[in-house]
Amino acid sequence: MAAREFSFTSESVTEGHPDKIADQVSDAVLDAVLTDDVNGRVACETLITTGLVVVAGEITTETYVDIPRLVRKTISEIGYTRAKYGFDAETCGVIVAIDEQSVDIEQGIDDSYEAQHGDDDPLNRVGAGDQGMMFGYAARETDELMPLPIQLAHRICKRLSEVRKADVLPYLRPDGKAQVTVRYEVDEHGHQRPVEIERILVSTQHRDGLDSEALIKPDLIEHVLHPILPHSLYDEKRLEERDFVYVNPTGKFVIGGPMGDTGLTGRKIIVDTYGGAAPHGGGAFSGKDPTKVDRSAAYAARYVAKNVVAAGIADRCQIQVAYAIGVAHPLSVLVDCFGTEAVGLSQVKIEQLVRDHFDLRPAAILRDLDLRRPIYQKTAAYGHFGRDDRDFTWERTDKADALRTAAGLAEPATV
């Protein structure tokens, strides 16, 4: 039987994209609270438009945060330091509208449904900070056990910012996007693997008066794409082809950042997760303290899925977990390995392994992933998953060996 083929596309955006500016501001506020108050409750939303930043939400804390100063510092570090770039961190207006967290929500977190009904287990005292469903995913197609298209898009966007800040391409401005299409083959057993990069799109803000096709495209090929793309997945001669790499297809991208588009916290959730290769449930991550399961349970689900794949139990794994506000125990946990399970392992067996090795109650997640720390601003650009950072505890594969042993698989786990 011939292998089936399909193409899949994912996008990422740079740290200077308006929505990502908003995410970074919201997470900067969260980190500032957690630095001095690990039990602070934060639900911080940011809107950014021409010359104006609005920070709103519900925050309950004993510490003081100078939000306007934090906003200006964050935006300045991204690179919006002159009005000619479309935004100036020093002269923009900042409006703050903060209230305290609802006492109804607070009660459900601090005194869970189980505790109210006589359960004295300390890990059952913390209820979920909201209802909803969250997803985690891992796939054996990159070293990071992430889908390849989103990883490549992230790398391109990060590289755009690096060459801009290093003055390698000083005419670049902070706003930008990348989109990567990868062709996959699927064998008769349902195992899929990336075989070719089919197409790349880069849209990057730049100084006025430059020709995107004649100047910017060759520079991006030399300094951005060629150094980071896996050469085994494309013919380098294709870099010169018109329909392989698209750069600023409209002809120019001068007006960018908040002047070109309003930015809002939580509007790039697919960029934040798996690039569309897996579902996204619940809500956005940025600006939310880890008692909010929208964030913490999504991290935990990624932790579970990554360990399952790292253990060799399956080539692909997707976890769905659902919660009720104020209730400690998940309402449901679903494991789907898409038929890629190791020989001899059933879906029922894998679900039991997950139940035996992972505790998905909010208090256990906070404990096991050590989430009450100021680590969140750096998650707010270039993805929350697939990152090599020791603070991203949900990326650890420390349970892979135990899972493999319990599954009865002989070889040691590998990542």
Side-chain angles (χ1 to χ4, degrees), residues 14-15 155-174 202 204-205 216 219-228 382:
T14 67
E15 64 203 61
R155 289 177 197 168
I156 292 170
C157 287
K158 194 167 190 298
R159 181 69 178 169
L160 279 174
S161 291
E162 289 170 351
V163 297
R164 169 177 60 86
K165 291 180 176 180
D167 279 339
V168 175
L169 299 178
Y171 58 78
L172 295 183
R173 301 294 182 250
V202 183
T204 181
Q205 186 187 9
I216 300 177
D219 278 353
L220 294 189
I221 289 173
E222 178 181 356
H223 298 289
V224 175
L225 300 180
H226 189 267
I228 63 171
Y382 311 118

Side-chain angles (χ1 to χ4, degrees), residues 53-56 67-68 94-98:
V53 181
V54 179
V55 181
I67 291 178
V94 179
I95 296 173
V96 178
I98 299 293

Side-chain angles (χ1 to χ4, degrees), residues 150-342:
I150 187 64
Q151 286 298 90
L152 293 180
H154 284 325
R155 289 177 197 168
I156 292 170
C157 287
K158 194 167 190 298
R159 181 69 178 169
L160 279 174
S161 291
E162 289 170 351
V163 297
R164 169 177 60 86
K165 291 180 176 180
D167 279 339
V168 175
L169 299 178
Y171 58 78
L172 295 183
R173 301 294 182 250
D175 197 356
K177 294 182 176 184
Q179 187 170 287
V180 179
T181 302
V182 174
R183 181 169 61 86
Y184 285 80
E185 286 185 355
V186 185
D187 66 19
E188 64 271 21
H189 303 293
H191 298 275
Q192 62 184 48
R193 67 183 184 93
V195 294
E196 182 186 23
I197 299 171
E198 284 193 331
R199 211 153 269 108
I200 298 167
L201 166 62
V202 183
S203 295
T204 181
Q205 186 187 9
H206 59 85
R207 187 178 71 227
D208 199 5
L210 303 180
D211 188 306
S212 289
E213 192 70 22
L215 173 65
I216 300 177
K217 181 175 179 177
D219 278 353
L220 294 189
I221 289 173
E222 178 181 356
H223 298 289
V224 175
L225 300 180
H226 189 267
I228 63 171
L229 294 179
H231 294 178
S232 61
L233 291 177
Y234 74 100
D235 183 343
E236 289 189 33
K237 295 179 181 177
R238 291 205 65 200
L239 290 172
E240 307 302 325
E241 295 178 9
R242 193 182 203 98
D243 64 348
F244 180 60
V245 177
Y246 293 85
V247 173
N248 294 347
T250 64
K252 67 175 184 176
F253 183 0
V254 173
I255 301 172
M259 180 177 285
D261 190 14
T262 296
L264 293 169
T265 299
R267 205 159 58 172
K268 283 290 176 283
I269 58 176
I270 300 303
V271 171
D272 286 342
T273 52
Y274 306 102
H280 181 102
F285 301 156
S286 290
K288 297 177 181 177
D289 76 77
T291 67
K292 314 291 192 298
V293 286
D294 279 347
R295 180 169 220 154
S296 56
Y299 291 174
R302 161 66 176 172
Y303 178 54
V304 175
K306 187 174 183 181
N307 276 272
V308 168
V309 173
I313 289 172
D315 279 356
R316 296 166 61 207
C317 181
Q318 179 177 291
I319 307 293
Q320 187 208 52
V321 59
Y323 294 88
I325 188 168
V327 179
H329 287 87
L331 299 185
S332 68
V333 179
L334 173 66
V335 183
D336 188 353
C337 295
F338 307 97
T340 67
E341 305 89 39

Side-chain angles (χ1 to χ4, degrees), residues 20-31 44-46 48 53-55 67 70-72 74-75 78 265 287 377 380:
K20 276 291 142 203
I21 301 172
D23 285 344
Q24 290 167 90
V25 168
S26 293
D27 274 337
V29 173
L30 170 60
D31 281 355
C44 180
E45 311 288 345
T46 302
I48 183 166
V53 181
V54 179
V55 181
I67 291 178
L70 198 60
V71 166
R72 299 183 192 284
T74 302
I75 295 173
I78 292 169
T265 299
Q377 185 177 351

